[in-house]
Amino acid sequence: MPEGTSRLRLKVLGSAAGGGFPQWNCRCPVCALAWEGDPRVKRRTQTSIAVSADGERWALINCAPEILSQIQSLPALQPQHGRRHTPVASVLLTNADIDHVAGLLSLREGQAFTLNATAAIHDVLRANPVFDVLAAGLVERRQIGLDAPFELVAGVTAALFPVPGKIALYLEAGEIATRGEVATALEGEQTVGVELSDGKARVLFIPGCARMTEALAARIAGADAVLFDGTVWQDDEMIRAGVGSKTGARMGHMAMAGEAGSIAAFAGLEVGRKIYVHINNTNPALIEGSAERRAAEAAGWEIAEDGMDVVPAGATMETAS
């Protein structure tokens, strides 16, 4: 990539997994630190990012329940002129999880924007009439195919690609009734990653991933930055913490650590910046200075924070105010 020429601007609006951090009803060892005001942990909202090439028109990738407070924290996303205005031109969804779609209900105030998603994700939204608050005459629901590049926002091209994952939690009962089990590493339109480019830098956003495949590794290799699923540190983390009965794999997420973890999976891949997002409240890597945080950083990883600017490796990029 020609140094200093990328115009991509990425802002991490939220960096936590579903429920945010600390989770409202949790006193696991990590959440307890947050409730007690320990400076080693920072509060985080649920994962979403904002992308722009000109700093005036922005796309949201996923729309967290806290989208209003996320917009309030970033002047670049706030109304700039007139009685009604928003710099948000489009929204792109990577799956139909509650923490990725619930914020759409806060964008219902008679505002035009484009809602981009695969056919499978649009089907989920159409099946729930609450999302009809997004007025059909204003919000264009654009169906995006896999591996079909399109303009996400002026100057930014996006392409969706399949990532091993599962359907949203609230849809599992239907799948169990039909299949007898929940498939946790399906590859199709229900869980996707996003490749972003301005023709100079290439950035991947993959907030949910059940396992690394050869095809996914080949796509990741050579990227200037990758924002990747960092839900749990170890697969049985929630069980060990005494706050859940599911493993990371059962939830459709790779662990960071271990032979099958993402740190090991990325070890042989050339990537400019490696950044963990979608970090669960039980993950000890949230604790600055912890053994887990040090291990991740030693492997070249960064732990995302709300408000973080992502500058692709080798580029000089203006940050959003």
Side-chain angles (χ1 to χ4, degrees):
M1 180 186 71
E3 185 174 352
T5 58
S6 175
R7 299 180 63 212
L8 269 182
R9 305 176 182 201
L10 285 85
K11 191 81 167 183
V12 176
L13 301 179
S15 52
F21 176 74
Q23 185 173 297
W24 71 282
N25 64 342
C26 186
R27 279 193 62 86
C28 71
V30 188
C31 283
L33 294 177
W35 293 127
E36 293 161 5
D38 193 308
R40 294 176 299 164
V41 294
K42 296 179 179 177
R43 293 172 183 254
R44 288 166 165 82
T45 57
Q46 294 166 89
T47 294
S48 175
I49 66 172
V51 183
S52 179
D54 60 13
E56 296 181 4
R57 289 159 292 185
W58 291 81
L60 306 180
I61 304 185
N62 290 335
C63 198
E66 306 96 331
I67 188 61
L68 178 58
S69 64
Q70 292 174 347
I71 289 172
Q72 291 171 342
S73 71
L74 183 61
L77 296 184
Q78 297 166 14
Q80 305 294 320
H81 52 76
R83 298 295 185 184
R84 294 277 184 166
H85 170 259
T86 178
V88 176
S90 66
V91 178
L92 172 61
L93 304 176
T94 63
N95 65 19
D97 285 353
I98 289 175
D99 51 316
H100 293 162
V101 304
L104 291 171
L105 301 179
S106 295
L107 304 185
R108 66 187 184 276
E109 305 296 346
Q111 184 65 48
F113 64 91
T114 302
L115 178 57
N116 302 286
T118 65
I121 297 171
H122 275 306
D123 285 346
V124 174
L125 298 182
R126 278 192 292 268
N128 190 330
V130 71
F131 290 104
D132 290 346
V133 297
L134 300 175
L138 291 172
V139 178
E140 177 192 357
R141 300 196 185 196
R142 182 164 56 169
Q143 183 173 307
I144 306 297
L146 298 177
D147 293 307
F150 66 101
E151 184 178 70
L152 177 62
V153 68
V156 180
T157 298
L160 306 183
F161 53 91
V163 174
K166 71 174 189 66
I167 60 173
L169 176 62
Y170 58 90
L171 299 175
E172 286 188 4
E175 185 176 20
I176 292 173
T178 302
R179 298 166 50 103
E181 62 179 359
V182 175
T184 58
L186 290 172
E187 291 187 62
E189 292 191 346
Q190 75 288 333
T191 300
V192 298
V194 185
E195 183 171 313
L196 302 163
S197 177
D198 64 347
K200 303 296 182 181
R202 187 169 69 93
V203 177
L204 273 60
F205 180 62
I206 309 171
C209 182
R211 62 185 176 87
M212 184 65 71
T213 64
E214 290 185 6
L216 182 56
R219 186 180 290 270
I220 288 170
D224 297 289
V226 177
L227 292 84
F228 194 80
D229 183 353
T231 305
V232 293
W233 175 257
Q234 56 187 352
D235 190 49
D236 62 350
E237 177 178 299
M238 293 180 63
I239 299 171
R240 288 174 180 246
V243 296
S245 59
K246 293 180 181 178
T247 63
R250 171 59 181 82
M251 297 186 294
H253 299 286
M254 295 178 73
M256 293 182 179
E259 292 183 1
S262 53
I263 291 176
F266 272 77
L269 301 177
E270 292 295 328
V271 176
R273 291 182 67 183
K274 299 179 293 186
I275 303 168
Y276 279 125
V277 293
H278 198 270
I279 307 163
N280 199 53
N281 58 289
T282 56
N283 193 328
L286 288 170
I287 307 170
E288 295 178 10
S290 66
E292 294 82 2
R293 173 72 73 93
R294 293 196 305 271
E297 291 174 342
W301 285 90
E302 303 170 57
I303 306 298
E305 300 176 1
D306 291 17
M308 179 181 186
D309 288 298
V310 178
V311 181
T316 300
M317 182 181 72
E318 295 182 39
T319 59
S321 59

